[in-house]
Amino acid sequence: MSFEIYHFITSYNYYIIIFLMISGLFIVVSKGNMVKKLVGLALFQTSVYILYISPGKIVGGTAPILADGYTIYSSPFPHVLILTAIVVGIATLSLGLSLVIRINEEFETIEEDELFNNELNDE
Amino acid sequence: MALTTLGIIRLRNLFSVVILSTIYSFLMATLLLIFDAVDVALTEAAVGAGISTVLMLTVLYYTKMNEEKPRYRSVLPLIICLVVGGLLIYGTYGLPPFGAADTPIHTHISVQYLERSINETGVPNVVTSVLASYRGFDTLGEVIVVFTAAIGVLSILKRDKV
Amino acid sequence: MRLDLLLRISSKIFLPFIILFAFYVQFHGDFGPGGGFQAGVIFAAGVILYTIIFGVKKAQKDFPEKIFNFMVPLGVLIFTVTGLISLSKGYNFLDYDALAHYPKHGQHIGIIAIELGVFVTVIGSMVSIFYAFVGRGKK
Amino acid sequence: MNEHAPALVAMLPIIGAILIMLIRHNHLNWLIALLSGFGTMYYSIILYLDARSMETISYAMGGWEPPVGIEYRIDEFNALLIALISIMSFLILIYAKSSLSNELKKNKISTFYSMYLLCLGGLIGILSTGDAFNAFVFLEISSLATYVIISMGGDRRGLLAAYQYLIVGTIGATLYVIGVGLIFIITGSLNLYDISVKLGDVELYRPLLASLAFITVGIALKIALFPLHAWLPNAYAFAPSVGTAFLASTATKVAIYLLIKYLYLVYGFDLVYSNQIFIFVVLSLSVLAMFGASVIAIFQSNLKKLFAYSSVAQIGYITLGIGIANYNGLIGSTVHIINHSIIKAAIFLAIGCLVFSSKIVNIDQLAGLGKKMPMVAVCITISSLSLIGVPGTVGFISKWYLVLGSLEQGWWVVVFALAVSSILALIYVGRIIELIWFHAPVSSIVSENKIPFEMIAVTVLMTIATIYFGIDTRLTGDLAKIAVENVLLGEQL
């Protein structure tokens, strides 16, 4: 049992991630408003960043910019990946938002319930 | 952060949602700073809190400010989330504790980057050297993603010439 | 109106610094945090700020949309051409060692070149996307 | 330059896309697209021949040896698929010019070509990369390009379809990234080969299983594996005809390859298939897809939607082979990837001809087509028959291998399912064939445009291919055998 408690305390970063991730995913799958869905999607993606970054941290380490006087650096590898992921995230977001603008123009609503029931399913 | 997330879930006013997501991004940037990811923190602050907020507000200018009440409630989303969450807890259980230095992430390839970067590329910021050189092809992909998105947005939003 | 004036003047004062900061982030990326992407976003944020304060019309006159639209493919082109140059010299794609006699030197040139490519594309894309968003107009 | 073929194959389409956007000339853009498509095809064939003569080609991007740098790893299997999709997309490009100028606004055509090439480059990148994160980046390139292509269809519902796919696709990609992240935490590496070596002595079994689940579900969203298929019919229905043909014949196949790669080359046969739950889920979902989607297809009135649902069902066949996981089952899957790609290209190109000449979108408008447009009618008939798996067509070959595979495992239920789903396919295809040949023409349908030669030519070519490869099985069957023997089951045999 003590191992479990120890484990829980030392891995708290993962539980933060999981909470944020689930909230983001929940917004995406449960909300009908398209803008809100995209916000949720952004949250979902953002929470993944910590999943990558947090294991790269070393206690007592410093940012991976080499300088005299420091010997322990946190891992630069995940940082690079997440930089790419952020870029992909904003690209997706902007494309999604532009689709929302057009959808709003064409259908005058951005609520999914109304749209999908009326447009896509009745043929 | 948890509070802002809950706020985003509960609030129906989209303006507040966007502002909350900006706050979330700033908090995220701070957190990333704590994790020593300075480059990422800078980017997240500029992108998450800057550009995406501006874009979302522009969209809100065109659309309605309030989210409508969902007509029916479904348990399915909750189930999906619980399954994913359960799987994540299952999967992360037993992973190396936070802040440890002897985990595979640190001992395998990162070490090589840290040791080789200055000699092979002459760049002290290891993030830059990995980004631009060791994994330069990823960065090329990333630029192509931005390119694709920009061309796509232009094609979607440009009015057709009559 | 006075608030507006305050904004206009302060943003005019700030704008050069934002642009300057963007260039600092761009060229200092080797030593401190930053690089092409961050610099591009900061630069674009400067233009966006200008647009918000002075309106779309004036902004598009001072920073014409066409330039930014052109920058989008240009940056990717810079990037790929860098890769192709190393290819043409018999090295692997994106191997910067090909760019100069000493590998380390070549790496340096290569990193600067591709960061420039990233910078150009990101400015172009972000500003183009923003212009496309605000230029759509309410129907 | 041949030793750089791995890089060139992925980069040529992208360079073409950049040039098109730089020049934006109305007549040149098709030419540039065609040229870069041809270059890609040329190098992909060279690459395949190389892969056959050498063992595995490892190409280090940036000259950094893997796992430090990003590696492109070409074996007989993915080289085969690269060659397949680049040949398909080149042929579709020939077809594209007239069809697009009919369906799209003039100022959007250059964007379409650019997106088409970007999507192609992205797909080839996914196929050839040996790096988990690089695969994600290229997945996003192709996905973003796909969203744009879908939104360009002209129908306003295309916007909804694109948005829907964007949400689903991004969730899928993010789940994939989570899975990769878990592997990354336990191995510290992103190179797939390196990972597969390291996973052998990882004690952390739970994160491994969780990552397997995340990656599978993430990719399954992209594959449109039943019941995660909701985005696909709308996407196919509202994209421009050329876009539909391209996506149907390439995009899902690439995602399937990615899944196969993870299951066999990264996690390894033993890990995946010692897990009974996993096999059960894959098999039952495949069978469900074969039934469910076929039943839905029967009730569709939109022509493109019907064949989109049939795609979902056909994907079920491919994943079925993956679930069966013996020699014949895998060959069945591989052959079906190739065959289905050809069949669906033929069908959607034929539908594109119909849209071009008389704006036909619904099934009842097909009545009497056999008399009005015999060529197109014959093409649709033959390729639909091959969808059912009539002997003498390609569809038969893949089903044959799948039946063999399931018999070997002694799974009679699966054999039965294959038979029933073929009957279901017969129902929806039969309805179309009946309308085409045995009904009087609907007078309200007028053909406005004469179909240009190259459109007919490419459609006929694809149709002939569906018959040729059905009779002469040496090419597809043997290539698939080589791929399966040497790459997937290398250690088992």
Side-chain angles (χ1 to χ4, degrees):
Chain A
M1 191 61 205
S2 68
F3 171 76
E4 309 235 316
I5 295 170
Y6 167 78
H7 185 266
F8 182 81
I9 296 169
T10 49
S11 309
Y12 63 92
N13 57 331
Y14 296 120
Y15 298 103
I16 301 175
I17 301 164
I18 292 169
F19 177 73
L20 296 176
M21 217 178 259
I22 298 309
S23 321
L25 189 64
F26 180 73
I27 298 174
V28 184
V29 287
S30 71
K31 299 294 171 178
N33 185 290
M34 291 187 170
V35 175
K36 197 155 175 180
K37 251 187 146 88
L38 286 172
V39 173
L41 203 61
L43 290 192
F44 185 40
Q45 289 179 314
T46 315
S47 58
V48 179
Y49 304 164
I50 330 180
L51 177 71
Y52 276 72
I53 301 270
S54 66
K57 162 80 179 170
I58 298 180
V59 172
T62 175
I65 297 172
L66 302 178
D68 297 333
Y70 294 103
T71 48
I72 305 173
Y73 299 101
S74 290
S75 170
F77 198 179
H79 301 183
V80 176
L81 305 177
I82 293 314
L83 278 177
T84 309
I86 292 181
V87 178
V88 171
I90 180 75
T92 318
L93 181 71
S94 57
L95 203 59
L97 287 174
S98 71
L99 282 172
V100 171
I101 293 184
R102 278 299 302 279
I103 289 173
N104 185 54
E105 268 178 22
E106 299 279 349
F107 300 93
E108 288 173 355
T109 176
I110 50 168
E111 298 291 331
E112 273 189 352
D113 293 356
E114 301 168 24
L115 283 176
F116 286 121
N117 287 342
N118 299 341
E119 298 290 336
L120 286 178
N121 297 332
D122 60 8
E123 277 196 60
Chain B
M1 267 172 105
L3 285 181
T4 48
T5 329
L6 288 179
I8 293 172
I9 296 179
R10 294 302 305 172
L11 280 175
R12 287 243 162 67
N13 184 310
L14 292 174
F15 186 77
S16 330
V17 167
V18 171
I19 297 302
L20 275 180
S21 82
T22 311
I23 296 173
Y24 176 88
S25 284
F26 268 123
L27 290 173
M28 177 62 86
T30 322
L31 195 62
L32 291 171
L33 207 60
I34 297 172
F35 291 146
D36 292 338
V38 271
D39 288 75
V40 188
L42 180 62
T43 317
E44 174 63 24
V47 170
I51 301 281
S52 58
T53 308
V54 172
L55 293 183
M56 283 190 195
L57 289 179
T58 323
V59 173
L60 287 190
Y61 166 73
Y62 293 118
T63 60
K64 278 187 211 148
M65 275 292 178
N66 284 308
E67 180 192 12
E68 273 164 43
K69 260 200 164 133
R71 263 189 234 146
Y72 49 89
R73 277 177 185 277
S74 159
V75 264
L76 189 67
L78 205 62
I79 296 173
I80 294 175
C81 291
L82 288 180
V83 169
V84 174
L87 198 60
L88 270 171
I89 292 176
Y90 176 82
T92 49
Y93 186 84
L95 286 184
F98 174 68
D102 53 350
T103 56
I105 287 195
H106 298 291
T107 51
H108 188 39
I109 291 174
S110 300
V111 176
Q112 298 204 31
Y113 287 144
L114 285 167
E115 283 170 358
R116 290 164 56 170
S117 168
I118 195 85
N119 293 328
E120 288 179 349
T121 63
V123 175
N125 183 354
V126 186
V127 175
T128 302
S129 76
V130 177
L131 189 79
S133 188
Y134 294 103
R135 294 184 70 87
F137 196 65
D138 256 1
T139 311
L140 176 57
E142 157 196 330
V143 178
I144 298 170
V145 168
V146 176
F147 167 75
T148 315
I151 304 290
V153 170
L154 288 182
S155 107
I156 290 170
L157 288 184
K158 270 271 169 68
R159 292 202 184 277
D160 302 323
K161 286 166 204 143
V162 184
Chain C
M1 192 61 210
R2 275 190 56 197
L3 192 68
D4 194 41
L5 194 71
L6 200 68
L7 276 176
R8 276 166 197 259
I9 292 174
S10 58
S11 70
K12 271 214 166 152
I13 296 170
F14 270 122
L15 193 65
F17 286 104
I18 293 176
I19 307 277
L20 198 68
F21 181 60
F23 282 109
Y24 169 79
V25 170
Q26 166 79 17
F27 293 110
H28 205 253
D30 293 1
F31 312 103
F37 183 76
Q38 292 87 336
V41 172
I42 293 170
F43 192 106
V47 178
I48 289 172
L49 175 70
Y50 192 81
T51 317
I52 291 174
I53 307 276
F54 292 96
V56 185
K57 276 200 178 130
K58 183 164 164 45
Q60 291 200 341
K61 211 177 80 192
D62 296 345
F63 303 99
E65 198 178 354
K66 278 219 161 124
I67 298 180
F68 293 109
N69 288 354
F70 188 72
M71 278 163 85
V72 179
L74 186 69
V76 196
L77 193 70
I78 296 175
F79 206 135
T80 32
V81 164
T82 315
L84 290 179
I85 291 173
S86 25
L87 209 63
S88 69
K89 293 194 176 172
Y91 287 77
N92 275 5
F93 190 70
L94 286 176
D95 191 341
Y96 313 132
D97 291 358
L99 301 175
H101 280 298
Y102 303 104
K104 203 168 166 179
H105 200 182
Q107 287 292 337
H108 206 71
I109 297 175
I111 289 176
I112 290 176
I114 67 132
E115 291 276 14
L116 183 70
V118 178
F119 182 58
V120 171
T121 294
V122 170
I123 297 179
S125 308
M126 292 302 155
V127 179
S128 294
I129 290 173
F130 178 68
Y131 274 168
F133 269 59
V134 293
R136 184 70 189 174
K138 246 181 185 166
K139 205 169 155 186
Chain D
M1 294 294 264
N2 287 357
E3 73 271 21
H4 295 299
L8 283 174
V9 168
M11 291 323 291
L12 277 176
I14 284 166
I15 294 168
I18 300 166
L19 287 180
I20 287 173
M21 286 330 286
L22 271 178
I23 298 172
R24 277 181 181 275
H25 188 281
N26 273 339
H27 300 289
L28 275 179
N29 50 28
W30 181 63
L31 214 61
I32 300 173
L34 211 57
L35 269 179
S36 60
F38 181 77
T40 314
M41 187 174 79
Y42 174 77
Y43 278 110
S44 72
I45 292 170
I46 287 184
L47 194 62
Y48 182 69
L49 297 176
D50 278 359
R52 284 290 293 278
S53 59
M54 286 185 257
E55 284 229 315
T56 307
I57 304 170
S58 167
Y59 186 86
M61 287 290 168
W64 300 111
E65 82 289 350
V68 168
I70 291 171
E71 178 196 24
Y72 262 33
R73 209 175 164 80
I74 312 284
D75 50 41
E76 281 126 326
F77 195 5
N78 60 6
L80 178 67
L81 294 182
I82 293 170
L84 171 76
I85 69 166
S86 42
I87 293 170
M88 293 311 267
S89 48
F90 175 68
L91 291 175
I92 295 173
L93 265 178
I94 299 178
Y95 172 100
K97 191 181 182 208
S98 319
S99 177
L100 284 181
S101 56
N102 181 40
E103 283 182 39
L104 293 187
K105 298 254 169 34
K106 214 175 178 184
N107 55 348
K108 294 212 166 152
I109 291 179
S110 57
T111 314
F112 182 88
Y113 283 121
S114 180
M115 287 300 146
Y116 185 97
L117 290 174
L118 283 170
C119 190
L120 174 63
L123 294 175
I124 294 179
I126 302 172
L127 287 177
S128 40
T129 190
D131 189 280
F133 202 80
N134 196 244
F136 162 69
V137 175
F138 276 85
L139 193 72
E140 282 293 330
I141 295 175
S142 66
S143 310
L144 287 177
T146 312
Y147 310 145
V148 181
I149 288 178
I150 295 169
S151 76
M152 288 169 98
D155 192 315
R156 62 179 192 162
R157 283 169 297 178
L159 295 170
L160 287 181
Y163 173 82
Q164 195 184 17
Y165 185 24
L166 184 132
I167 297 286
V168 173
T170 312
I171 293 177
T174 312
L175 290 178
Y176 172 80
V177 171
I178 295 175
V180 171
L182 288 174
I183 305 183
F184 177 59
I185 294 172
I186 52 180
T187 62
S189 176
L190 284 177
N191 184 290
L192 292 176
Y193 181 69
D194 194 36
I195 290 173
S196 73
V197 173
K198 290 213 149 215
L199 283 184
D201 43 56
V202 160
E203 305 113 43
L204 296 165
Y205 192 59
R206 289 169 60 157
L208 202 61
L209 275 189
S211 70
L212 174 66
F214 275 111
I215 289 177
T216 312
V217 175
I219 300 175
L221 278 167
K222 286 277 172 193
I223 299 179
L225 183 63
F226 197 85
L228 306 172
H229 67 281
W231 59 269
L232 185 135
N234 293 324
Y236 281 13
F238 301 119
S241 306
V242 179
T244 312
F246 172 63
L247 295 177
S249 66
T250 56
T252 45
K253 314 291 174 292
V254 171
I256 289 173
Y257 170 74
L258 194 62
L259 185 62
I260 294 179
K261 193 174 193 168
Y262 269 98
L263 295 186
Y264 287 88
L265 303 181
V266 180
Y267 288 101
F269 192 86
D270 299 332
L271 177 80
V272 174
Y273 288 94
S274 62
N275 195 338
Q276 289 294 329
I277 304 172
F278 185 82
I279 303 181
F280 177 73
V281 170
V282 169
L283 278 181
S284 50
L285 287 187
S286 311
V287 172
L288 267 179
M290 283 153 44
F291 284 127
S294 303
V295 171
I296 301 173
I298 293 174
F299 296 105
Q300 292 302 312
S301 60
N302 180 309
L303 202 53
K304 277 184 174 177
K305 257 194 182 170
L306 186 151
F307 284 112
Y309 275 109
S310 116
S311 268
V312 177
Q314 301 287 323
I315 289 162
Y317 288 113
I318 302 177
T319 47
L320 183 73
I322 301 173
I324 294 173
N326 56 18
Y327 180 65
N328 280 322
L330 283 171
I331 290 180
S333 281
T334 317
V335 174
H336 202 57
I337 289 178
I338 303 173
N339 291 345
H340 184 236
S341 164
I342 300 173
I343 298 173
K344 272 289 141 66
I347 289 181
F348 281 117
L349 290 180
I351 293 176
C353 289
L354 296 181
V355 175
F356 182 86
S357 78
S358 23
K359 301 244 177 305
I360 292 178
V361 285
N362 280 333
I363 291 180
D364 36 347
Q365 291 169 306
L366 285 177
L369 194 76
K371 299 196 181 70
K372 272 159 73 183
M373 282 182 264
M375 277 295 238
V376 183
V378 168
C379 288
I380 292 188
T381 312
I382 292 176
S383 36
S384 318
L385 285 177
S386 129
L387 211 55
I388 312 174
V390 172
T393 57
V394 281
F396 178 68
I397 311 295
S398 13
K399 283 196 183 169
W400 179 247
Y401 280 115
L402 288 176
V403 169
L404 280 184
S406 22
L407 282 181
E408 251 172 63
Q409 300 276 31
W411 290 338
W412 285 96
V413 187
V414 178
V415 180
F416 179 69
L418 275 165
V420 174
S421 94
S422 299
I423 294 171
L424 288 175
L426 188 66
I427 296 175
Y428 63 76
V429 166
R431 189 159 63 117
I432 293 174
I433 294 177
E434 191 203 345
L435 273 169
I436 292 180
W437 296 107
F438 303 111
H439 276 250
V442 185
S443 53
S444 60
I445 306 289
V446 276
S447 28
E448 298 159 359
N449 307 312
K450 197 178 172 302
I451 305 170
F453 173 72
E454 78 272 7
M455 284 174 74
I456 283 286
V458 174
T459 316
V460 171
L461 188 72
M462 294 279 187
T463 315
I464 292 175
T466 61
I467 301 179
Y468 178 77
F469 290 132
I471 297 168
D472 180 5
T473 58
R474 276 172 307 186
L475 189 60
T476 48
D478 290 356
L479 295 187
K481 271 179 198 159
I482 291 165
V484 172
E485 278 168 20
N486 293 0
V487 181
L488 297 186
L489 297 177
E491 290 157 27
Q492 268 76 36
L493 287 175

